[in-house]
Amino acid sequence: MQTIGVITNDETGVFQQAIIQGAWVTADTEPCAIEVFSGSRAAPAPNAADGWLVIANAATPEWLARIQEAGRPITLVSHALPGLPAVVFDNRQGMLELVKHVAVQCGRRKLVLVRGAAGQYDTEQRATAFTDALMRYSVSAAGTINGEFAPDKAAAALEAFLAEGHDFDAVVASDYMMALAVIDTLKRKKRRVPQDVSVVGFGDGPEARRGKLTTVAADVEELGRRAAKQLVHQMNGAKVKGVTTLSVKLIERNTSYDDPPDVELRKEKTPKFTKKR
């Protein structure tokens, strides 16, 4: 039986766990074994697995070069580098949808971006798209805070931002777990959501649904399934190139404006494959 090695910098994180769960779904149908390498184990020998899934930027360039020199297949997940196959979300589409929603449907004019981890592919893609969307919809940035894809850090950064007296009426978070932390912080500071501040986030999961958070639906398990399937094709001798992009769609709930459509009663489709580039 072939083995898929998964490289992650935090296998306990919600995002990483969902990707690994999706990879297991593919592995069970192939069948393949999966071994997760995290923390101090995140730079194993190239022959420790038959192929490698690398989540975000968890692997160093030096380690990736060793894997390529050894001829082992690689698929990057939620990350992209020249010459390596990758599976990512359509970050631009997602951020444009979020900003359009808060600007056009919610009538907000002063937006705050909660960034992810510095230098990470999704962080930079979403930040660039956010800036482009501000110009497209004629709204302004009230500021940017660094959440580093960590809810506790997002909450602390927002608390400091509020203490500085900044004026804003919407928060766009680079992932949904940070958005939920933002909502908790705003409520503690007596800011009403969504009456005073609209809050939206990238991605979707059980926590977002329970919190009635407006998001762009990005099925993280599907990301893991697609990436593992692509890797298995390589392990079986197929040549795979380029970046596979998965589409997202807006899911309107209660944190962005009053009386949203009852989307929870509609069938939410899994984001589909859209293109390779």
Side-chain angles (χ1 to χ4, degrees):
M1 180 181 291
Q2 298 188 102
T3 299
I4 295 173
V6 179
I7 304 294
T8 174
N9 55 17
D10 180 14
E11 63 183 298
T12 66
V14 172
F15 178 76
Q16 289 85 351
Q17 285 183 334
I19 289 175
I20 294 167
Q21 178 59 39
W24 269 114
V25 172
T26 294
D28 285 343
T29 62
E30 288 306 327
C32 291
I34 286 183
E35 185 169 0
V36 178
F37 297 84
S38 181
S40 61
R41 300 180 69 237
N47 62 359
D50 297 289
W52 295 95
L53 285 183
V54 181
I55 300 175
N57 55 348
T60 66
E62 293 77 16
W63 184 85
L64 289 171
R66 287 175 59 206
I67 299 301
Q68 289 180 283
E69 288 170 5
R72 297 288 176 170
I74 305 172
T75 286
L76 305 179
V77 189
S78 201
H79 194 52
L81 291 171
L84 292 177
V87 181
V88 302
F89 286 129
D90 193 331
N91 289 311
R92 181 173 178 80
Q93 175 204 1
M95 291 304 284
L96 290 175
E97 290 278 3
L98 289 176
V99 174
K100 178 182 179 181
H101 174 69
V102 297
V104 177
Q105 291 178 263
C106 306
R108 305 301 186 174
R109 306 279 18 102
K110 298 177 181 179
L111 282 56
V112 173
L113 173 67
V114 184
R115 285 175 56 93
Q120 206 272 336
Y121 176 85
D122 286 339
T123 298
E124 304 309 326
Q125 290 264 309
R126 293 170 193 176
T128 298
F130 176 80
T131 300
D132 292 346
L134 294 177
M135 293 185 288
R136 177 176 294 194
Y137 298 108
S138 301
V139 292
S140 61
T144 298
I145 62 176
N146 293 316
E148 300 182 34
F149 288 133
D152 57 338
K153 293 182 179 180
L158 178 63
E159 191 160 345
F161 191 77
L162 287 166
E164 292 169 0
H166 296 281
D167 180 30
F168 60 95
D169 56 14
V171 176
V172 179
S174 293
D175 83 356
Y176 68 91
M177 294 300 291
M178 292 195 299
L180 293 171
V182 161
I183 291 169
D184 289 343
T185 301
L186 289 170
K187 289 181 176 179
R188 282 193 290 102
K189 296 299 181 179
K190 309 304 181 186
R191 299 286 187 97
R192 298 174 301 164
V193 177
Q195 294 86 351
D196 299 328
V197 182
S198 294
V199 180
V200 297
F202 202 109
D204 201 35
E207 300 87 354
R209 292 189 285 274
R210 286 194 296 268
K212 299 187 182 300
L213 175 70
T214 294
T215 68
V216 282
D219 188 330
V220 182
E221 283 197 21
E222 175 67 6
L223 191 69
R225 288 193 291 271
R226 290 292 185 91
K229 186 172 293 186
Q230 184 189 92
L231 182 64
V232 170
H233 287 329
Q234 293 182 74
M235 290 159 56
N236 292 334
K239 300 295 183 182
V240 178
K241 297 181 179 179
V243 178
T244 300
T245 303
L246 304 184
S247 66
V248 298
K249 73 171 185 176
L250 182 71
I251 301 294
E252 300 171 26
R253 300 190 181 105
N254 298 94
T255 62
S256 53
Y257 69 121
D258 290 326
D259 195 28
D262 195 2
V263 296
E264 298 304 318
L265 298 181
R266 296 188 299 191
K267 183 177 180 181
E268 296 181 9
K269 297 180 180 179
T270 299
K272 296 180 179 179
F273 163 86
T274 53
K275 60 180 179 289
K276 283 189 177 182
R277 69 175 186 272

